[in-house]
Amino acid sequence: DADVTQTPRNRITKTGKRIMLECSQTKGHDRMYWYRQDPGLGLRLIYYSFDVKDINKGEISDGYSVSRQAQAKFSLSLESAIPNQTALYFCATSGNRPLTDTQYFGPGTRLTVL
Amino acid sequence: AQTVTQSQPEMSVQEAETVTLSCTYDTSENNYYLFWYKQPPSRQMILVIRQEAYKQQNATENRFSVNFQKAAKSFSLKISDSQLGDTAMYFCASGSGNTGKLIFGQGTTLQVKP
């Protein structure tokens, strides 16, 4: 079984709808991250969390919110989806030692907002 | 602010040949590390190689090696004996030694031709 899972894998929604992307991990990591990938821009950080009570904004947090329900679960919400939020979304996890711990990525969620 | 730049949007190489992908970065942090990730058509993000900035020795992983020039803020990836399975998008990334946040370049699409 995969260490980092994301649901759904693909989603099509309409402008104005609320949508939640979910991430679960079995690696026992404290740190979790949400990134979005756009063509020509690489991946950009949306939010990150060091533990259940420590959540921080990344580069592009406007229009997004997150919830860290447990050590293993980190959800990303779009309260009112808009077309420019169409992108590939990745969840990642790591241990607490950035200089030695690698970030592991989930398989990604392809989101299309019509 | 941290930035990562990959100036080669697309590259191609013949099978069994060697290719080098370029990356430059800028960071204000003293403790940082550098990565190359591979993203095949499956869209999974796969770690290829990592380099701790405090280490002078260039990292090597089988056919993959880096040329890390700290003063020039350059971090290139060399792929030797290219294989068809190396066809993918490659991302260079800089990581914070404090927060673990990754800053990605725009990506280079590599096509290995038979």
Side-chain angles (χ1 to χ4, degrees):
Chain A
D1 290 338
D3 295 318
V4 185
T5 57
Q6 292 183 235
T7 56
R9 294 294 309 278
N10 297 281
R11 180 73 182 268
I12 300 174
T13 191
K14 295 183 178 180
T15 296
K17 294 291 188 180
R18 185 180 187 275
I19 185 168
M20 178 181 288
L21 309 182
E22 298 184 331
C23 176
S24 295
Q25 52 112 348
T26 59
K27 299 190 75 65
H29 286 162
D30 286 327
R31 299 189 177 199
M32 298 186 74
Y33 307 81
W34 275 105
Y35 295 89
R36 65 176 277 177
Q37 180 181 357
D38 297 278
L41 296 178
L43 282 73
R44 293 177 292 166
L45 183 64
I46 306 172
Y47 271 95
Y48 61 104
S49 170
F50 288 165
D51 63 38
V52 174
K53 297 182 179 179
D54 187 353
I55 295 177
N56 305 277
K57 293 183 178 180
E59 302 173 71
I60 53 166
S61 59
D62 287 350
Y64 301 95
S65 62
V66 291
S67 173
R68 184 81 185 265
Q69 300 95 325
Q71 184 202 37
K73 296 183 182 297
F74 191 36
S75 300
L76 176 72
S77 293
L78 288 68
E79 296 300 326
S80 180
I82 56 177
N84 76 0
Q85 291 177 314
T86 292
L88 183 57
Y89 289 85
F90 285 100
C91 173
T93 75
S94 76
N96 292 328
R97 301 168 301 174
L99 284 175
T100 54
D101 291 336
T102 298
Q103 265 187 46
Y104 294 90
F105 285 79
T109 295
R110 173 75 66 188
L111 176 66
T112 303
V113 183
L114 301 176
Chain B
Q2 291 183 321
T3 60
V4 177
T5 302
Q6 294 177 249
S7 59
Q8 305 153 315
E10 296 180 352
M11 295 189 71
S12 64
V13 64
Q14 292 296 132
E15 194 175 8
E17 297 294 311
T18 295
V19 64
T20 299
L21 308 183
S22 301
C23 174
T24 58
Y25 66 94
D26 194 11
T27 180
S28 57
E29 296 200 17
N30 293 321
N31 293 324
Y32 63 94
Y33 51 128
L34 300 163
F35 295 98
W36 280 97
Y37 277 92
K38 169 186 177 181
Q39 187 180 46
S42 66
R43 79 193 190 197
Q44 180 73 46
M45 294 291 287
I46 302 167
L47 177 65
V48 175
I49 199 166
R50 65 178 286 157
Q51 171 82 41
E52 283 75 28
Y54 64 88
K55 290 185 178 179
Q56 293 185 340
Q57 186 173 4
N58 289 324
T60 300
E61 288 289 343
N62 300 315
R63 297 182 296 107
F64 299 88
S65 62
V66 299
N67 183 3
F68 175 44
Q69 300 291 326
K70 190 171 184 177
K73 296 185 177 178
S74 171
F75 183 61
S76 61
L77 175 69
K78 185 172 79 172
I79 306 174
S80 303
D81 185 25
S82 296
Q83 301 176 0
L84 296 177
D86 295 335
T87 292
M89 179 165 282
Y90 288 80
F91 290 99
C92 177
S94 169
S96 166
N98 296 317
T99 64
K101 295 190 296 181
L102 295 179
I103 302 297
F104 285 85
Q106 304 89 330
T108 297
T109 299
L110 176 66
Q111 177 77 42
V112 180
K113 299 180 178 179

